[in-house]
Amino acid sequence: MELFSLKDKTAVVTGSLGLIGKEHCRALSEAGANVIAADLDADKCGEFALTLLTESMGISLDVTSPESVNGLRDKVIQKFGHIDILVNNAAINDMFEDPKAASEQSKFENYPLELWQKSIDVNLTGVFLCSQIIGNVMSVQKKGSIINIASTYGITAPDQSLYKKVDGTQSFYKPPAYSATKGAVIMFTKYLAAYWGSNGVRVNTLTPGGVENSQDEFFIRKYSAKTILGRMAKPSDYKGALIFLASDASSYMTGANLVVDGGWTAW
Ligand SMILES: NC(=O)c1ccc[n+]([C@@H]2O[C@H](COP(=O)([O-])OP(=O)(O)OC[C@H]3O[C@@H](n4cnc5c(N)ncnc54)[C@H](O)[C@@H]3O)[C@@H](O)[C@H]2O)c1
């Protein structure tokens, strides 16, 4: 198991307070890494970091702000002296608070420029900035692993009929910015892998499928039926893949996209 060990490694996880982000942090810590749980709320990051097994820190981070990313890098270097793993996990997945208006607001024809721009800022520019500022520490160290979290919707288009209720009305449309930004993350990964390969920095994408999280029963049923393994993911289903990409177990892998989706994209 030495190959999968992350002992004495320092790992930064963005969006660490989210549904899957917390599991990424737990996985890295269970494999031995000291984890920097980074998200918008400093207090909650601090509280969550205390629950991890290894010496970990919670640091507030806005991935869209160069000052914020620089500040995080400086704090981590001051405490640990090196950064070995970066998980670019923070992302916006538009939620439409008012269920009555959601269908109209999320329609492509009506989708607001502000929401498009916000997703580009967080899902894409955030990945760029964290890779540039934190990844550069790895490039100077001549070793590191960057893992960019995409989505099956960055590979295949959303099937909007999944969001149609039993009575035939559309609950909402999966918005265009999510697919566009996740597709871009997969290509950005390849760009950076090629650029930093000779500096010992590996860059890979992890593509998760949908996680079950109290969605409407009709949605869970339809989604599961479209998945080869017949179910949605559990938040912990990505832990093994993340440890693999972060560790020397994947030492000959870069520029790749590890798709962990219960077979969603295979048929
Ligand atoms: N949940 C799923 O079904 C699913 C499926 C496929 C891919 N993904 C991807 O996995 C990743 C995690 O998903 P999740 O479901 O845990 O999301 P989530 O919405 O539960 O968590 C996202 C986290 O990102 C943080 N965040 C938002 N803007 C930020 C910013 N500017 N700076 C720093 N942090 C910010 C939020 O505070 C939140 O804690 C995302 O990249 C998502 O696109 C999720």
Side-chain angles (χ1 to χ4, degrees):
M1 298 310 285
E2 198 58 23
L3 211 49
F4 292 90
S5 171
L6 299 177
K7 193 167 176 298
D8 298 328
K9 304 277 187 200
T10 308
V12 175
V13 180
T14 72
S16 63
L17 296 177
L19 182 67
I20 311 183
K22 282 187 172 163
E23 294 297 332
H24 291 330
C25 293
R26 291 182 184 121
L28 295 165
S29 177
E30 284 161 18
N34 298 316
V35 175
I36 288 70
D39 206 306
L40 294 168
D41 187 316
D43 291 345
K44 287 189 179 146
C45 286
E47 283 164 27
F48 176 64
L50 289 175
T51 69
L52 299 172
L53 297 174
T54 41
E55 192 182 355
S56 297
M57 290 167 85
I59 300 182
S60 70
L61 172 72
D62 177 354
V63 295
T64 67
S65 154
E67 294 75 26
S68 178
V69 184
N70 275 314
L72 177 135
R73 178 206 51 205
D74 293 347
K75 284 181 196 155
V76 180
I77 290 298
Q78 197 180 22
K79 177 148 176 83
F80 293 105
H82 53 98
I83 305 177
D84 309 289
I85 299 153
L86 167 64
V87 185
N88 281 314
N89 169 74
I92 298 280
N93 187 3
D94 291 320
M95 295 294 166
F96 297 90
E97 303 295 336
D98 177 1
K100 286 201 202 85
S103 174
E104 273 309 298
Q105 283 172 352
S106 60
K107 255 181 146 171
F108 176 71
E109 291 83 346
N110 302 336
Y111 187 67
L113 178 59
E114 305 86 78
L115 290 186
W116 171 265
Q117 198 60 59
K118 186 148 197 239
S119 285
I120 303 262
D121 287 348
V122 176
N123 302 8
L124 188 55
T125 309
V127 173
F128 158 75
L129 272 179
C130 291
S131 299
Q132 188 180 52
I133 296 169
I134 300 170
N136 193 42
V137 174
M138 303 179 187
S139 150
V140 172
Q141 288 168 182
K142 301 273 181 218
K143 191 161 168 61
S145 173
I146 298 177
I147 301 153
N148 295 325
I149 308 297
S151 163
T152 44
Y153 285 162
I155 303 174
T156 56
D159 175 352
Q160 303 289 4
S161 72
L162 284 177
Y163 307 98
K164 202 172 262 188
K165 295 189 229 171
V166 183
D167 68 6
T169 57
Q170 191 79 21
S171 55
F172 71 95
Y173 293 88
K174 191 77 186 176
Y178 192 70
S179 294
T181 54
K182 292 299 180 177
V185 162
I186 294 169
M187 191 55 227
F188 173 71
T189 298
K190 295 183 195 182
Y191 172 89
L192 201 56
Y195 184 80
W196 267 341
S198 56
N199 287 29
V201 182
R202 298 187 298 109
V203 191
N204 291 292
T205 301
L206 171 59
T207 290
V211 176
E212 187 173 333
N213 183 29
S214 310
Q215 293 97 336
D216 290 322
E217 187 275 332
F218 77 85
F219 172 79
I220 296 174
R221 189 169 25 83
K222 287 201 232 179
Y223 190 102
S224 302
K226 273 183 73 95
T227 309
I228 289 177
L229 294 183
R231 65 168 177 89
M232 296 192 77
K234 298 183 286 245
S236 59
D237 273 331
Y238 305 108
K239 288 170 84 173
L242 189 80
I243 294 171
F244 170 66
L245 289 176
S247 68
D248 287 347
S250 60
S251 58
Y252 195 51
M253 195 163 166
T254 198
N257 184 6
L258 183 55
V259 180
V260 183
D261 65 350
W264 172 274
T265 53
W267 63 3

